[in-house]
Amino acid sequence: MFSLNLKIALRNLWRNKVITAINIGGLAIALAAFIIVTMYFTFETGFDRANPNYNEIYIIGRNLPDFKTNYTSPPLGKTIKAEVPEVVSVGTMKVSFFEIPVTSKNAVVFLSKCLYLDYEAAKMFNIKPSNGLVKPESTTQNLFYLSNENYKTLFPNNKNGVPELVGLGSRSSGMTAKLSGSVYADPHSNIAFDAISVVKEVGLGEGYGYNNYNTYIQVKPGTDIEALEAKVNAIYKREMIKADEDPNHETFKATSAFLDPLKNQHLKPKAGTGIGYKILMALSVLGILILVIACINFTNLSIAQAAKRAKEVGVKKVMGAYRFQLSLQFLTEILIQCLVSTVLGLIIAEIILPRFNNLFGVNLSIWTANSALLWQLPLILIFITLIAGVYPAMVLSGFKPALVLKGNFQKSKQSFWLQNGLLVFQFSIAVIFITGLLIINSQLTYMRTQDVGFKPAQVVYIKNLAYFASPGKFDPIRDRISKIPGVKSVTVANTIPDGSDGGKNSYTVDGKEQSLTFTGVDFDYFETLDIKIKEGRTFSREFKTDTVNSAILNEAAVAKYGLTHPIGKSIKGCQNKTYKIVGIIKDFKTLGFEKPVEPTIYSINDPCGNPKTEIMLKIEGSRMSEVLNTLKSQWPEINRLDGDNFRYQFLDEMYGRLFKKQEQLQSVFFAAAMLTVFIAMLGLFAFAKYITNSKIKEIAVRKILGASNLQIFKLINRTFLVMVVMANIISFPLAYILTKKWLETFAYRIDLPLLPFAMSAGLTILLTIITVSLQANSAVKANPVGALKYE
């Protein structure tokens, strides 16, 4: 029986080549998209799952009045370990993003993410160096490991990862360090590094004012996390009071400690925006919808062809076939098509996967032995077979033999409404995707063309190892660089405007205390970045006090304090340092468009901030290459600490990375919109073919009675146009709500425009008319005699 059903299935598929090709092709394209989305979802949700302590690790964070942070001070973890029995282990670590050249006889590597951690943290995160994890014997011992990749680059002939001596900084600096070996850096972990330094105790001697460490705890299985969080918060509050914090102060009352599980850190940390999670969810929904649309095509076309199979079903039922057997036969046909679609989908996915990997910065592969796709793919195949096939199989196997053999076959009203409803659903999704794509394009165009308040173009950021605590230390370097023809200005700061979030401190003006971001700058900072002054002046060498106690605020800081005449006022900050406000600058979007401009204070002198290391140059565009070549040749003399390791980046490229996530979303929506429209049009084309063929005699009669070609085109298009208009009416509210919610994630955004809605409606209606008219054209031009000669 199975072999007979298989032969019948293959024969029917071959007879209806066009419909079969549309079914298989549409489903294959949708499956390719769904396979890639499934792989990406598995990858993104799999971070740190290889860690045996995955479910018991939590990071301690702090709720502050204006923001949340995962940074805490070193003593907190030790106190929690000593007082809380539910905590098994406490690990402390600190990441240095300071880029350090490490050299050997063979090569040089640049460590941009060096992780300093204690032995307990290394053990907690299952870090296993080549010669085993060793606990440092004293507080002065430092076990330094390079990642396997970097170690092989420096020592290609050392296969065992044994200790080696390396140089730090330039080759001429003479600084060396002893490697303890190599270590595997899991690319699928939140604890990312290119080198680690294991010590007995991190942050030794630092108190509760040094909140720039990450504290992780490992708890006992089954621990009540809410109760534990309350204990941790109580300890944090108590220790802060001991550190001379005022418990009655508003800032203290609004501050608390929280616990965040390790499994949240990659996609939706409490101290983050959750943009990665939102992108993943958007991708997942798009992948599912595209697959559903393809399954709808399948279902619609299978039902549409029911009339051709009615007599076959009637004869088989008369001969004794059961409905179950007929359902199995039709499901076999659908399974064959789904199987072929799956194979084609894998081929298409393999072709487009490199582009997807490049867009999202991942390295997914279909053919890896441990790929979750090995068990996911059979489930997907069964799922689409059932979704696309169960209802058509029930419809086809449910025909009554007495009626269909008499020629009185008629599809049920339920099937008619289902077909039309599914077509409306298809076009509704397509309209939402098109509208969403147009609005995303509008927002991205706004972001690219809007004035961000400074000009990163022609500004070069030079990577540097030296600290410049005062202008006097930087002046010799500034003078040497300024003499190079083509250099317009030179400055140094503790951060660059590339989306980096600076450190915050409390500052008081007129008795009102607020939290401000501090940016340590030097002369010519505002001129180099072309930041506009609104009131007062910028820092100048003509005023000696500018290097001691002068400060500049941005508009957001002035608004936060509610100042009307800020120039000349005093502002007190870290270590009770008092500054005089000499200028107000216009706000500029250092954090991009998703976050509002941070209230910020700028000063040359700061007793508590990070050291100034970020050198920036404004260069004439026509002489850019010439200046960079000169800098490279003179850098060993200009900055001896860096020596021959001259490295630079263009600031506009660094700032442009802030748009990457939204550009990813734009690319995904573009692909999704194109796929949904394409698949919907395939289904519409096939469905129009069926409808036209079923009305061939009606068309012939109308032509004999004098109907024009235009009238017949209107007749055939009318039904489809009604459905497309209904799809637009249904989709507009959904598209409005979804795009409005997306736009609300931006601090600076466009007003929701109406044009994309009108354009998506016009596009879908136009495509419908073209698709249906192309299919109806042959029927309209056919000789009526051919359709009526047997009547």
Side-chain angles (χ1 to χ4, degrees):
M1 178 63 76
F2 177 77
S3 61
L4 178 62
N5 285 341
L6 185 61
K7 287 179 183 178
I8 295 172
L10 293 173
R11 188 181 297 120
N12 276 306
L13 295 176
W14 184 252
R15 280 180 181 173
N16 300 283
K17 298 184 192 70
V18 175
I19 301 298
T20 302
I22 289 173
N23 270 343
I24 292 175
L27 197 55
I29 293 169
L31 271 170
F34 188 74
I35 286 168
I36 291 177
V37 168
T38 301
M39 291 170 62
Y40 185 66
F41 184 89
T42 303
F43 174 81
E44 287 291 294
T45 55
F47 272 71
D48 284 308
R49 286 190 182 273
N51 190 330
N53 310 309
Y54 176 73
N55 292 313
E56 282 79 49
I57 296 177
Y58 292 78
I59 190 170
I60 301 175
R62 294 180 300 138
N63 284 310
L64 298 170
D66 298 322
F67 62 99
K68 293 182 179 181
T69 177
N70 281 340
Y71 290 108
T72 50
S73 51
L76 180 61
K78 290 189 289 185
T79 307
I80 291 169
K81 179 67 171 66
E83 297 186 18
V84 183
E86 297 96 325
V87 176
V88 175
S89 177
V90 173
T92 309
M93 62 180 67
K94 181 179 182 180
V95 180
S96 171
F97 295 97
F98 201 58
E99 191 170 277
I100 304 173
V102 177
T103 58
S104 70
K105 295 178 182 178
N106 305 296
V108 58
V109 296
F110 297 95
L111 306 182
S112 58
K113 202 168 189 181
C114 190
L115 183 64
Y116 299 89
L117 71 167
D118 56 28
Y119 173 77
E120 290 299 321
K123 191 169 65 171
M124 186 187 299
F125 285 97
N126 204 31
I127 293 173
K128 296 178 179 178
S130 54
N131 51 0
L133 182 61
V134 179
K135 187 173 184 178
E137 296 177 356
S138 66
T139 54
T140 58
Q141 186 180 10
N142 185 347
L143 303 177
F144 184 41
Y145 303 91
L146 289 182
S147 66
N148 289 345
E149 184 180 355
N150 285 329
Y151 193 92
K152 288 175 183 177
T153 301
L154 293 179
F155 305 103
N157 299 321
N158 190 335
K159 306 297 182 184
N160 301 318
V162 297
E164 294 274 7
L165 197 66
V166 294
L168 297 179
S170 67
R171 294 180 187 273
S172 59
S173 67
M175 293 191 297
T176 60
K178 183 182 178 182
L179 287 179
S180 301
S182 62
V183 63
Y184 172 65
D186 185 2
H188 212 188
S189 172
N190 289 297
I191 310 302
F193 55 85
D194 45 30
I196 64 169
S197 184
V198 181
V199 296
K200 188 173 183 179
E201 185 176 344
V202 174
L204 186 65
E206 295 186 353
Y208 280 92
Y210 294 87
N211 291 301
N212 50 0
Y213 294 84
N214 293 133
T215 304
Y216 290 90
I217 61 173
Q218 182 181 336
V219 303
K220 294 177 181 178
T223 298
D224 185 341
I225 300 303
E226 287 188 11
L228 177 61
E229 187 174 62
K231 287 183 182 180
V232 169
N233 186 46
I235 291 172
Y236 172 69
K237 290 275 193 178
R238 185 195 69 200
E239 295 300 309
M240 293 307 295
I241 293 172
K242 286 183 181 178
D244 296 329
E245 288 283 342
D246 182 3
N248 297 316
H249 198 282
E250 292 300 322
T251 301
F252 182 87
K253 291 178 182 178
T255 303
S256 62
F258 64 82
L259 299 181
D260 200 15
L262 177 63
K263 61 186 177 184
N264 284 357
Q265 296 310 299
H266 180 62
L267 289 174
K268 48 177 182 178
K270 289 181 180 179
T273 60
I275 185 66
Y277 178 76
K278 293 171 185 174
I279 293 288
L280 182 63
M281 289 299 103
L283 265 177
S284 303
V285 170
L286 293 179
I288 292 170
L289 286 175
I290 290 169
L291 188 61
V292 167
I293 287 172
C295 289
I296 286 173
N297 263 1
F298 211 112
T299 302
N300 252 351
L301 297 181
S302 298
I303 297 172
Q305 293 187 91
K308 294 183 178 180
R309 309 293 298 274
K311 289 187 179 180
E312 176 193 336
V313 172
V315 171
K316 284 188 174 182
K317 281 194 169 184
V318 169
M319 298 297 291
Y322 293 103
R323 186 172 187 179
F324 170 78
Q325 293 172 316
L326 292 169
S327 297
L328 192 61
Q329 174 195 330
F330 295 129
L331 279 174
T332 301
E333 293 182 21
I334 291 165
L335 177 61
I336 291 170
Q337 295 178 75
C338 291
L339 190 58
V340 174
S341 296
T342 303
V343 174
L344 287 175
L346 281 169
I347 295 170
I348 297 169
E350 180 67 18
I351 293 170
I352 62 178
L353 194 56
R355 184 174 177 82
F356 182 89
N357 284 340
N358 183 57
L359 178 65
F360 284 89
V362 293
N363 189 27
L364 303 179
S365 176
I366 293 174
W367 311 111
T368 52
N370 60 346
S371 174
L373 205 62
L374 293 174
W375 62 266
Q376 290 170 345
L377 208 55
L379 293 180
I380 293 170
L381 178 61
I382 294 169
F383 173 77
I384 59 174
T385 301
L386 294 175
I387 292 295
V390 167
Y391 187 78
M394 296 300 293
V395 170
L396 290 167
S397 63
F399 294 147
K400 295 179 181 179
L403 292 176
V404 296
L405 292 176
K406 288 180 181 178
N408 293 332
F409 165 73
Q410 242 183 346
K411 282 190 294 182
S412 66
K413 289 184 178 179
Q414 289 86 347
S415 294
F416 172 79
W417 285 111
L418 177 67
Q419 280 181 281
N420 291 345
L422 291 177
L423 204 61
V424 169
F425 177 78
Q426 270 186 312
F427 275 94
S428 296
I429 300 301
V431 169
I432 290 173
F433 283 169
I434 294 169
T435 307
L437 174 64
L438 294 172
I439 290 174
I440 289 172
N441 286 343
S442 298
Q443 174 65 16
L444 280 174
T445 301
Y446 167 80
M447 289 163 63
R448 293 190 187 106
T449 57
Q450 181 76 0
D451 181 15
V452 296
F454 74 110
K455 294 181 180 178
Q458 299 174 15
V459 176
V460 174
Y461 158 59
I462 300 179
K463 297 182 178 181
N464 159 65
L465 292 177
Y467 288 4
F468 303 107
S470 65
K473 289 188 177 182
F474 184 63
D475 281 344
I477 291 178
R478 183 205 311 275
D479 292 341
R480 288 291 303 270
I481 296 175
S482 298
K483 290 177 182 177
I484 298 174
V487 175
K488 299 169 74 173
S489 62
V490 186
T491 191
V492 67
N494 68 349
T495 186
I496 53 177
D498 65 342
S500 302
D501 211 344
K504 290 183 173 62
N505 283 313
S506 294
Y507 292 85
T508 305
V509 179
D510 292 344
K512 186 176 183 180
E513 185 177 344
Q514 296 288 354
S515 179
L516 300 182
T517 297
F518 180 88
T519 301
V521 300
D522 203 278
F523 294 116
D524 300 324
Y525 175 83
F526 302 103
E527 290 77 5
T528 300
L529 296 176
D530 200 11
I531 298 168
K532 304 301 181 186
I533 192 80
K534 181 182 179 182
E535 190 177 346
R537 62 177 177 82
T538 59
F539 298 123
S540 171
R541 294 174 184 82
E542 296 178 4
F543 299 89
K544 293 182 179 180
T545 55
D546 279 3
T547 60
V548 181
N549 65 349
S550 293
I552 292 174
L553 304 185
N554 65 356
E555 291 175 302
V558 172
K560 194 167 188 178
Y561 285 106
L563 301 175
T564 52
H565 302 290
I567 301 299
K569 286 187 176 291
S570 296
I571 178 168
K572 184 183 290 187
C574 185
Q575 295 187 5
N576 290 320
K577 177 73 178 177
T578 300
Y579 299 95
K580 181 182 178 182
I581 301 172
V582 299
I584 306 300
I585 59 163
K586 292 189 175 181
D587 287 341
F588 64 104
K589 301 178 179 65
T590 58
L591 302 178
F593 286 74
E594 292 180 32
K595 298 178 182 178
V597 173
E598 291 280 1
T600 306
I601 178 173
Y602 301 84
S603 178
I604 294 176
N605 183 18
D606 175 49
C608 303
N610 294 322
K612 285 177 272 192
T613 60
E614 319 295 349
I615 299 174
M616 290 176 282
L617 284 64
K618 187 82 168 182
I619 301 174
E620 292 178 17
S622 60
R623 309 187 73 171
M624 182 68 71
S625 179
E626 175 190 341
V627 171
L628 292 175
N629 288 332
T630 304
L631 278 169
K632 184 175 182 180
S633 64
Q634 295 183 7
W635 198 245
E637 299 173 12
I638 294 174
N639 193 344
R640 296 183 184 279
L641 193 60
D642 281 314
D644 49 358
N645 299 312
F646 178 71
R647 304 169 319 284
Y648 66 89
Q649 286 180 274
F650 294 107
L651 187 58
D652 54 356
E653 291 180 0
M654 298 173 72
Y655 188 75
R657 290 173 193 158
L658 296 177
F659 304 153
K660 184 176 180 181
K661 287 291 182 186
Q662 305 309 330
E663 287 170 349
Q664 287 175 344
L665 190 62
Q666 180 191 33
S667 299
V668 167
F669 251 84
F670 178 79
M674 294 302 101
L675 280 177
T676 50
V677 170
F678 178 71
I679 293 171
M681 289 304 153
L682 279 179
L684 181 64
F685 181 82
F687 196 47
K689 178 182 176 69
Y690 166 75
I691 294 294
T692 304
N693 290 340
S694 67
K695 292 187 174 184
I696 199 76
K697 291 181 180 179
E698 179 187 343
I699 292 170
V701 170
R702 287 179 179 272
K703 288 188 76 173
I704 289 172
L705 294 174
S708 66
N709 289 351
L710 181 60
Q711 288 174 319
I712 294 172
F713 273 122
K714 285 181 180 179
L715 171 71
I716 298 172
N717 273 291
R718 186 183 299 124
T719 303
F720 294 103
L721 283 175
V722 169
M723 287 190 283
V724 172
V725 170
M726 285 179 61
N728 276 280
I729 293 171
I730 292 169
S731 65
F732 282 167
L734 289 171
Y736 177 84
I737 292 168
L738 293 173
T739 52
K740 190 172 186 292
K741 278 190 167 295
W742 177 73
L743 285 173
E744 285 172 356
T745 62
F746 293 89
Y748 308 100
R749 56 184 180 264
I750 58 171
D751 294 325
L752 193 60
L754 295 177
L755 183 61
F757 295 90
M759 288 178 66
S760 59
L763 183 62
T764 49
I765 290 171
L766 180 62
L767 287 173
T768 300
I769 292 172
I770 292 171
T771 303
V772 175
S773 297
L774 284 174
Q775 185 55 59
N777 188 52
S778 57
V780 171
K781 290 185 176 180
N783 191 337
V785 176
L788 300 175
K789 63 182 179 181
Y790 297 111
E791 296 299 319

